[in-house]
């Protein structure tokens, strides 16, 4: 049997797809695996922020088209890049074990302190608003491109710091660039950050992907996505959610930003198997102003 694995062509996306392929190879040594890479619209249009060109769905639509056309059998996505509403004909096969979900501060090579006179580069309204609270008076400026492109811009002096997902840096072997990790209490991560989502052709046997499924990651991803979905959130909406499972309990923290860019945060805890309902309730309460 041969499985063709669809991936964005960035170095990080390839590294993440190779992690998934290694797990499948360990569980199914008889399966032949082939990596198929492609550029997505989100990779091509780099002169505008994502909210101006259609949101994070731009990172997955070409991969989904390849699945429908039979050019690939499964696709590997960063869970945080998935649109909140997914097509029924392309089900999710698995959520992987979560890597570090936190955001990280990265400084230019050779420096050990943030220069407040130079901007911090980040890629989302979620980060921008929280960073403005953490570093009042420091400019926060959009930055696009893959991780290596952003690091080059940083080291060439365009920015005084970057904020990137720790998971991506670690998967690229660049954890040495991390100068500070922000706790979720300081900077709430994007829903699904650190989790890989595997999407499959509908006619494939779901049991093939049992080796990739992680219960805690699935509980967290589904709860976080339920929170954002309840707020009609996506790339352009500065919402955030982070869940953590302990035994049979789940703790959810959520961020809601209203039209005046006032931030509201709240937490909830309950049975792990009720995480999605808990997250939806927390989102409604935040939106109604009564956490």
């Amino acid at each position: 049997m041969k499985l063709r694995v669809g991936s964005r062509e960035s170095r990080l996306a390839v590294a993440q797809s190779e992690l998934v392929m290694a797990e499948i190879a360990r569980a199914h040594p008889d399966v032949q695996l082939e990596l198929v890479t492609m550029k997505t619209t989100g990779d091509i249009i780099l002169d505008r922020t994502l909210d101006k060109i259609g949101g994070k769905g731009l990172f997955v639509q070409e991969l989904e088209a390849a699945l429908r056309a039979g050019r690939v059998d499964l696709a590997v996505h960063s869970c945080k890049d998935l649109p909140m509403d997914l097509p029924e004909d392309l089900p999710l096969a698995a959520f992987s074990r979560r890597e570090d979900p936190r955001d990280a501060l990265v400084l230019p090579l050779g420096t050990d302190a943030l220069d407040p006179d130079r901007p911090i580069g980040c890629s989302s309204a979620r980060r921008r608003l929280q960073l403005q609270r953490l570093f009042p008076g420091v400019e926060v400026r959009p930055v696009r491109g893959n991780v290596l492109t952003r690091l080059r811009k940083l080291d060439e002096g365009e920015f005084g710091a970057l904020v990137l997902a720790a998971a991506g840096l670690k998967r690229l072997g660049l954890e040495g660039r991390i100068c500070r990790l922000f706790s979720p209490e300081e900077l709430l991560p994007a829903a699904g950050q650190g989790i890989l989502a595997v999407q499959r052709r509908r006619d494939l046997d779901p049991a093939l992907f049992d080796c990739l499924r992680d219960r805690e990651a699935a509980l967290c991803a589904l709860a976080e996505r339920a929170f954002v979905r309840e707020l009609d959130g996506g790339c352009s909406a500065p919402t955030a959610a982070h869940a953590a499972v302990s035994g049979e309990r789940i703790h959810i923290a959520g961020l809601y930003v209203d039209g005046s860019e006032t931030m509201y945060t709240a937490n909830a805890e309950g049975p792990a198997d009720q995480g999605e309902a808990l997250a939806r309730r927390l989102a409604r309460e935040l939106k109604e102003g009564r956490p």
Side-chain angles (χ1 to χ4, degrees):
M1 180 182 185
K2 181 177 182 178
L3 289 178
R4 294 157 299 170
V5 181
S7 170
R8 293 165 61 190
E9 65 178 24
S10 74
R11 187 169 145 193
L12 175 57
V14 168
Q16 293 179 160
S17 296
E18 288 174 343
L19 289 172
V20 168
M21 293 168 72
E23 288 294 327
I24 295 174
R26 276 192 285 271
H28 306 287
D30 55 327
V31 172
Q32 181 184 354
L33 295 160
E34 177 188 351
L35 183 65
V36 179
T37 62
M38 61 195 77
K39 276 189 181 294
T40 67
T41 304
D43 297 310
I44 296 168
I45 303 175
L46 297 175
D47 60 345
R48 284 165 282 169
T49 55
L50 290 174
D51 57 306
K52 301 295 192 297
I53 58 174
K56 290 188 178 180
L58 297 174
F59 287 124
V60 305
Q61 61 188 20
E62 280 81 6
L63 291 166
E64 289 185 339
L67 282 168
R68 288 195 178 96
R71 297 194 302 273
V72 299
D73 303 298
L74 62 145
V76 180
H77 309 287
S78 291
C79 184
K80 68 185 181 70
D81 289 340
L82 283 177
M84 288 302 129
D85 294 312
L86 296 172
E88 292 184 5
D89 62 322
L90 298 175
L92 289 180
F95 292 108
S96 73
R97 182 182 63 82
R98 190 170 218 165
E99 180 52 273
D100 192 331
R102 293 174 291 180
D103 280 318
L105 184 73
V106 180
L107 299 178
L109 285 171
T111 64
D112 57 8
L114 177 67
D115 181 353
D117 295 324
R118 296 164 69 193
I120 300 173
C122 73
S123 59
S124 68
R126 167 190 68 84
R127 285 181 177 140
R128 174 178 60 81
L129 291 169
Q130 295 183 89
L131 288 168
Q132 288 171 340
R133 179 183 60 187
L134 285 171
F135 302 103
V138 179
E139 181 188 0
V140 181
R141 185 184 298 171
V143 58
R144 291 289 316 280
N146 61 45
V147 172
L148 298 179
T149 298
R150 296 183 198 189
L151 289 174
R152 176 180 53 77
K153 292 179 179 181
L154 172 71
D155 294 333
E156 290 177 351
E158 190 172 334
F159 298 91
L162 295 177
V163 174
L164 300 167
L169 291 166
K170 291 183 176 184
R171 287 172 178 147
L172 285 171
L174 295 172
E175 56 264 51
R177 293 299 307 261
I178 296 174
C179 298
R180 172 183 174 182
L181 287 167
F182 296 101
S183 70
E185 291 74 27
E186 292 175 306
L187 209 166
L188 205 61
Q193 189 157 298
I195 299 171
L196 301 179
V198 179
Q199 197 174 18
R200 65 175 175 87
R201 288 200 345 253
R202 193 165 200 162
D203 58 323
L204 281 180
D205 182 0
L208 276 170
F209 307 102
D210 288 348
C211 58
L212 301 173
R213 296 191 185 103
D214 184 274
R215 175 179 177 270
E216 286 192 12
L219 289 169
C220 291
L222 292 171
E224 292 164 13
R225 288 172 60 79
F227 175 88
V228 176
R229 188 183 298 109
E230 188 69 23
L231 294 172
D232 296 321
C235 171
S236 60
T239 55
H242 176 256
V245 173
S246 178
E248 294 304 317
R249 305 285 290 177
I250 190 168
H251 177 271
I252 304 168
L255 167 72
Y256 167 69
V257 181
D258 66 16
S260 64
E261 293 199 341
T262 300
M263 291 187 291
Y264 302 89
T265 58
N267 300 268
E269 185 173 319
D273 62 357
Q274 297 177 28
E276 290 180 83
L278 187 69
R280 287 192 294 269
R281 184 164 68 248
L282 181 65
R284 289 193 298 270
E285 290 175 352
L286 268 178
K287 194 170 186 178
E288 292 165 7
R290 49 181 180 82

